[in-house]
Amino acid sequence: MMELQNLIGGEMMNSESGNWLENVEPATGKIFSRIPRSGAADVEAAVQAARKAFPGWSSTPFEERAACLRRLGALIATHSEALIAAESQDNGKPVSLARAVDIPRAQKNLEFFAGAIEHFASEVHIPGGSEFIHYTHRKPIGVVGCISPWNLPLYLFTWKIAPALAAGNCVVAKPSEVTPVTAWMLSEWIAEAGFPSGAFNVIHGLGGEAGRALVEHPLVKAISFTGGTQTGAEITRTTAGMFKKLSLELGGKNPAIVFADCDLEKAVATTIRSSFANQGQICLCSSRVLIEDSLYETFRDALVNKAKRIRPGDPSDPTTKMGALVSAEHRDKVLGYIKSAVGQGATVLCGGGAAPAPNDRCKSGYFVQPTILEGLGPECNINQEEIFGPVITLQRFFSETEAIALANDSVYGLAATIWTENLSKAHRVAGLVESGIAWINCWLVRDLRTPFGGVKSSGVGREGGFEALRFFTEPQSVCVPTN
Ligand code: NDP
C-alpha cells in the first residue's frame, strides 16, 4: 500500500504520533493508500521550519523565486501522466477531465504567478507642491497557511501556494485528507525545483486536527482557505481576536438564468457541462437553472434528453465523461437531498438515485446519476443549500425582475451564468445579480488575472492575479522628504 508523508523542513516524514488515516479510491470503494494523521506537534514543526526559512526565502531575488515556481511547473509537465492517473484515482474524476483541466491548470498556476511576481509593482504618490514622497512597500507576511478542498485537488492547492511563495512567504499547506496524493507527489519535487528547505511544507491529516492547529497557530499570520461555508465560519470564529489575514473561498448555489432569446443549442450544451462537470463538484457549477416561461418546456426537454445520455463510468477509462463522487459519505449526502426533494413533491425528470456500477472493478464505487428536478419553489432547502453533486433544479420565471429576484434569493453569491442574445439585457442582469463572477453566454472561462471569489456566504476577499499577491503581502506606507 502507498504511504504518503509530510514535507517538513525539506524532509519527508511520518506524523509524530505515528498514526495514519486510510485513503479510499472512490471508483472502487477500496483503500489504496494511507496518510499521516498529523496533529499540533507536526504543525508546530512545519511552522518552525517555515519561520527559519523565511529570512532567506523572502530576501531571495524575485527572479529566483519565479524560477523555482517555473521549475516546479515544468516538473508537473514532466510527471503529468502520473499526476493525471493519481488525481483520477484519488478523487473519482474521469482521467479525461484531469488531463484537460486539473493538471494543466496546476502547471499554469505556477507559471502564471512566476510571471505575475515579475510584473507586480507598488504605488508611489508624489503630491504636487508637497515636499514629501509617499511610497508603498509590499512586504511578504511571513509564515502563511494554505488549506484546500478535495474537488480540484492539485488545481486549487497550487492556486494558493504559488502566489504565497512568489510573494516571498514561507508556506505550510494542508490538502484535503480525502484527496492528498497529488499534493504529496508535488512535495517530493520541491527540492529539485530549487526551493530552500522549509520554504514550503505540507502537512497531511484531518481538517479538525491538522487544519485547525494550522489556523490556530500564532505564528501563522495569514490563512488562505477554500472549502465549505461552515468550515469558513469556523475558521473565522477560531481566529477572532488573533487579527490574521483571511481569504475565504466558500460554497455556492449558482443560478443559470436562461432567457427565451438565448442561443438554445449553446445554452443547453453549456448548461449540461456547468451542471454536471466533475460530477457537479465544482464550486462554480450551476445548481439552480432558472428558465423564462415561454422557453421553459423546450429548454427543459432538450436538457433532460442530453442528461439522460450521460452514463457514469469507470474514471480510469479515457472515454468516461462522468466519474464517481468523492466519498461514500458525500454520495449519501447527495442521495439524501434527492430523497428529500422527492419527499417535498419534486418531479424527477432524469436520474434520481445511485448509478449502476460501470464494471466489476467499480462495483463498490460511489456513482450517482445526473439528476434534474422540477416543481420546487425557491424557499425549499433543495434550492437553498449547496448539494455539491450532479443534481440541479429547474424553476420558471416570467420577467427579468423575477429572474433577478430568484437568482439573488440565496445566502450564497459565487457565480451566475446568463443566457440571452440581448447584450444590453445581459450586462444589466449581470450588474444586478449578487455574485462574484458572472458569465454571459459561457461558463468557466477564466483569465487568471481577473479577481476570483464570492460575495455573501460565498466568501471574503479575492484570489487571482495581483489580488492574490496583494493578499499575500502587507503594505507599508513610507513617507520621505524630497530634500
Ligand atoms: P471543507 O470545508 O470540508 O474542507 C476544506 C479544507 O478545509 C480541507 O482541507 C479540510 O480538511 C479543511 N478543514 C476542515 N475543517 C477544518 C477546520 N476546522 N480548520 C481548518 N481546516 C479545516 O470543504 P470540502 O473539502 O468538502 O470542499 C467542498 C466545499 O468547497 C464546497 O462547499 C465547495 O463549494 C467549496 N469550494 C469553494 C471554491 C471557491 O473557490 N469558492 C472552490 C472549490 C470548492 P479535510 O478534508 O482533511 O477535513
Side-chain angles (χ1 to χ4, degrees):
M1 164 149 15
M2 197 157 71
E3 282 187 351
L4 279 54
Q5 291 185 301
N6 293 329
L7 173 67
I8 300 177
E11 303 286 328
M12 300 299 289
M13 54 179 78
N14 298 337
S15 68
E16 192 166 280
S17 68
N19 293 332
W20 297 90
L21 295 164
E22 289 170 339
N23 187 27
V24 172
E25 177 177 4
T28 63
K30 294 206 175 76
I31 297 161
F32 75 103
S33 63
R34 59 180 197 162
I35 68 168
R37 182 170 178 170
S38 311
D42 306 288
V43 169
E44 177 65 29
V47 171
Q48 291 304 340
R51 178 155 91 149
K52 213 167 132 205
F54 180 69
W57 179 245
S58 61
S59 55
T60 297
F62 70 87
E63 295 96 331
E64 178 50 23
R65 296 201 301 264
C68 290
L69 289 169
R70 287 202 175 93
R71 284 192 290 266
L72 192 57
L75 283 160
I76 290 181
T78 305
H79 296 281
S80 68
E81 285 305 318
L83 286 165
I84 289 162
E87 204 70 299
S88 169
Q89 180 180 32
D90 206 13
N91 173 276
K93 68 177 67 211
V95 279
S96 58
L97 187 69
R99 181 182 303 285
V101 176
D102 295 75
I103 304 309
R105 173 61 191 274
Q107 180 191 345
K108 194 170 172 192
N109 286 340
L110 293 160
E111 287 166 356
F112 173 81
F113 280 108
I117 198 65
E118 290 170 337
H119 297 273
F120 190 44
S122 208
E123 307 85 29
V124 179
H125 296 90
I126 310 174
S130 166
E131 290 170 2
F132 295 90
I133 293 177
H134 307 257
Y135 65 89
T136 305
H137 182 186
R138 291 191 179 272
K139 305 176 186 180
I141 298 169
V143 181
V144 300
C146 296
I147 303 177
S148 52
W150 49 256
N151 64 328
L152 299 165
L154 193 65
Y155 173 135
L156 289 173
F157 188 77
T158 49
W159 181 235
K160 296 187 174 304
I161 63 157
L165 289 163
N169 300 285
C170 290
V171 172
V172 180
K174 197 205 86 66
S176 170
E177 118 255 355
V178 186
T179 53
V181 176
T182 48
W184 165 69
M185 291 168 77
L186 193 78
S187 61
E188 294 220 300
W189 308 322
I190 291 301
E192 193 180 340
F195 289 93
S197 299
F200 177 60
N201 307 272
V202 183
I203 294 286
H204 294 280
L206 295 168
E209 297 176 359
R212 193 179 169 88
L214 181 58
V215 168
E216 280 176 343
H217 201 293
L219 289 179
V220 177
K221 298 295 180 199
I223 297 285
S224 174
F225 170 82
T226 298
T229 293
Q230 281 181 5
T231 316
E234 196 181 322
I235 289 173
T236 310
R237 281 191 294 274
T238 305
T239 54
M242 296 178 86
F243 309 111
K244 291 179 193 250
K245 275 184 112 172
L246 293 183
S247 166
L248 303 172
E249 300 297 335
L250 310 175
K253 189 75 186 171
N254 308 311
I257 308 172
V258 183
F259 286 99
D261 60 0
C262 70
D263 176 333
L264 180 64
E265 203 180 316
K266 205 166 150 196
V268 170
T270 307
T271 305
I272 284 285
R273 246 177 7 97
S274 73
S275 304
F276 301 124
N278 204 33
Q279 300 71 247
Q281 303 167 135
I282 302 181
C283 55
L284 305 164
C285 273
S286 312
S287 54
R288 297 178 294 142
V289 182
L290 316 175
I291 310 161
E292 189 162 7
D293 175 57
S294 61
L295 189 71
Y296 187 89
E297 280 75 17
T298 310
F299 188 88
R300 175 193 66 190
D301 295 349
L303 197 70
V304 169
N305 273 339
K306 270 196 190 295
K308 277 183 175 162
R309 293 208 291 272
I310 305 171
R311 299 244 179 284
D314 185 337
S316 67
D317 178 339
T319 63
T320 293
K321 295 277 185 293
M322 179 181 269
L325 267 63
V326 78
S327 65
E329 193 191 359
H330 190 57
R331 176 209 45 203
D332 294 345
K333 179 185 148 189
V334 171
L335 292 178
Y337 271 113
I338 299 174
K339 202 166 158 207
S340 156
V342 172
Q344 293 173 68
T347 304
V348 179
L349 298 170
C350 71
N359 57 27
D360 202 43
R361 182 184 101 84
C362 297
K363 61 180 187 289
S364 304
Y366 316 134
F367 297 92
V368 173
Q369 295 172 317
T371 297
I372 304 182
L373 305 165
E374 74 173 350
L376 295 177
E379 68 295 338
C380 169
N381 70 326
I382 310 298
N383 279 321
Q384 291 293 337
E385 295 168 21
E386 185 184 42
I387 300 174
F388 216 54
V391 181
I392 60 167
T393 62
L394 310 186
Q395 295 177 72
R396 190 189 296 263
F397 67 84
F398 293 86
S399 67
E400 189 180 312
T401 311
E402 191 189 3
I404 293 162
L406 276 173
N408 290 342
D409 187 357
S410 170
V411 295
Y412 295 107
L414 188 54
T417 311
I418 299 155
W419 293 97
T420 173
E421 292 293 289
N422 178 336
L423 209 52
S424 21
K425 179 160 73 181
H427 287 296
R428 193 166 60 233
V429 173
L432 290 169
V433 166
E434 295 161 358
S435 69
I437 302 148
W439 277 295
I440 296 169
N441 298 329
C442 61
W443 177 71
L444 209 62
V445 180
R446 292 277 296 121
D447 178 325
L448 302 191
R449 294 170 299 182
T450 58
F452 178 90
V455 299
K456 295 156 78 177
S457 298
S458 289
V460 179
R462 292 292 181 273
E463 296 185 320
F466 292 154
E467 298 279 348
L469 294 176
R470 286 191 195 105
F471 174 76
F472 282 116
T473 50
E474 201 65 85
Q476 181 188 35
S477 199
V478 182
C479 177
V480 57
T482 49
N483 51 40

